[in-house]
Amino acid sequence: MKAKIRLYYKLFQILILFINGLFLAAGVFPVLGFIYSARAANLKKDAIKARWLQRFSAIVNLHISKEGELPERRAILVSNHISWLDIIVIGQYLPACFVAKSDISGWPVIGYLAKQGGTIFIRRGDKQHIRSTAEKMAWLLKQNSNIIAFPEGTTTKGDEVLNFHSSLFQPALLTRSAIQPVALQYQGSAKQYAPFVGDDGFVPHLIKMLTLDKIEVRLSFLPIINSSGKSRHAVSIETRDLIWEKISESSPADNSDREGFGVIQGSIFLKKSVGTSEIRSC
């Protein structure tokens, strides 16, 4: 009985959070763009989006074990992809635009929030659309924005890293932006239930996540790679291999209590003030 009451309460919190997100996206963000300069408005939007993601994190009870350093200059961060939760996990730490498959744009509420949050949608297999997406990514990087991408193009169960689509690396090479690999590993009971694969629907999967006592995840920001003089194909292979190496080093056992990680329960606080950072999102 207590478990059902807790689930219903969390669902109510999620509903309120989504309503709040719609209000911010449809009402507050346009007003900020009208009142402030583009740069000032973006900084304020970044702070709002960070707090919204922190609140989402608290509701689903994310326990994040983080290691590594964030980029100090504009960068494209590339990660293995396991779940929609990945966006909440990584997005709290720095202002950035996400690259996501175009299917998400059609999701009720979530699709709209993603669009207003600056998500770049890409249609796999459409070369012309991929080219225009790459141009948009390059423009954003030139504007000193960060980009977070999942080059596998789909999700896995977390026990493998698929080959990366090299086209997503071209904008970083053209603009000489930093390329930073990010490794994600869900642990504990979340290792089995967090993967969003196959025919999973968002709402049923969300409910399944809310039934867990906590969602443990290891988040590793790996060193920025040296991309000088390398092709996009070579960089994509190197990045993928570094992520796989990080994941495979702890795959024999679920080391959720490993020392040296900073564990953040529920919500997290950004180490660097979004409002004072020179790096902004879209």
Side-chain angles (χ1 to χ4, degrees):
M1 185 63 182
K2 288 184 178 180
K4 283 189 176 182
I5 293 175
R6 184 178 63 181
L7 174 60
Y8 293 151
Y9 178 63
K10 286 184 176 181
L11 285 171
F12 175 73
Q13 289 180 301
I14 290 291
L15 176 61
I16 296 300
L17 182 70
F18 283 175
I19 293 174
N20 173 256
L22 290 172
F23 171 74
L24 292 173
V28 176
F29 282 8
V31 172
L32 291 177
F34 180 77
I35 296 177
Y36 297 98
S37 65
R39 183 176 183 278
N42 281 322
L43 290 174
K44 291 183 181 298
K45 289 177 184 179
D46 290 341
I48 292 172
K49 287 188 288 186
R51 287 195 295 270
W52 194 89
L53 288 172
Q54 289 168 8
R55 182 56 188 156
F56 206 143
S57 177
I59 295 173
V60 299
N61 202 15
L62 276 173
H63 287 224
I64 304 172
S65 298
K66 172 188 168 294
E67 66 173 4
E69 300 298 326
L70 300 176
E72 295 182 354
R73 61 187 179 95
R74 70 184 183 195
I76 177 169
L77 294 88
V78 292
S79 172
N80 59 310
H81 200 12
I82 301 172
S83 173
W84 53 268
L85 288 164
D86 302 346
I87 295 173
I88 303 173
V89 174
I90 304 175
Q92 300 179 69
Y93 281 92
L94 76 169
C97 303
F98 280 90
V99 179
K101 60 182 182 180
S102 58
D103 299 10
I104 295 177
S105 64
W107 289 9
V109 182
I110 296 294
Y112 177 77
L113 293 178
K115 290 177 186 176
Q116 299 305 310
T119 298
I120 307 166
F121 295 107
I122 184 170
R123 287 199 298 269
R124 303 293 181 188
D126 186 333
K127 292 185 178 180
Q128 183 174 354
H129 190 263
I130 291 174
R131 190 179 301 112
S132 65
T133 299
E135 292 174 354
K136 184 174 184 180
M137 291 172 63
W139 183 85
L140 289 169
L141 289 168
K142 289 178 181 178
Q143 302 304 309
N144 216 31
S145 299
N146 291 314
I147 293 175
I148 299 173
F150 303 103
E152 290 171 289
T154 187
T155 53
T156 71
K157 293 182 179 180
D159 55 357
E160 61 179 332
V161 181
L162 304 178
N163 292 332
F164 283 177
H165 293 276
S166 61
S167 59
L168 291 177
F169 292 84
Q170 189 65 24
L173 296 177
L174 289 174
T175 58
R176 297 182 180 180
S177 301
I179 300 175
Q180 182 169 25
V182 179
L184 276 170
Q185 297 166 274
Y186 290 89
Q187 301 176 322
S189 58
K191 185 174 184 179
Q192 176 182 355
Y193 297 111
F196 186 65
V197 294
D199 296 326
D200 284 347
F202 174 73
V203 174
H205 192 268
L206 170 63
I207 293 174
K208 183 164 59 176
M209 292 300 95
L210 294 177
T211 60
L212 300 178
D213 290 333
K214 59 182 177 180
I215 300 174
E216 298 174 284
V217 56
R218 178 188 182 191
L219 174 63
S220 304
F221 290 95
L222 305 179
I224 290 173
I225 68 170
N226 178 15
S227 60
S228 178
K230 298 177 182 177
S231 67
R232 70 185 194 186
H233 184 64
V235 171
S236 69
I237 293 176
E238 180 181 354
T239 306
R240 183 263 175 199
D241 289 348
L242 288 171
I243 294 174
W244 171 241
E245 181 181 346
K246 187 65 180 178
I247 290 174
S248 59
E249 74 180 25
S250 62
S251 58
D254 191 357
N255 300 320
S256 58
D257 294 326
R258 185 168 175 169
E259 294 181 358
F261 298 151
V263 178
I264 303 146
Q265 300 186 1
S267 60
I268 71 167
F269 295 93
L270 298 176
K271 287 186 177 180
K272 184 184 291 183
S273 170
V274 176
T276 58
S277 173
E278 293 182 357
I279 300 176
R280 69 171 184 83
S281 75
C282 43

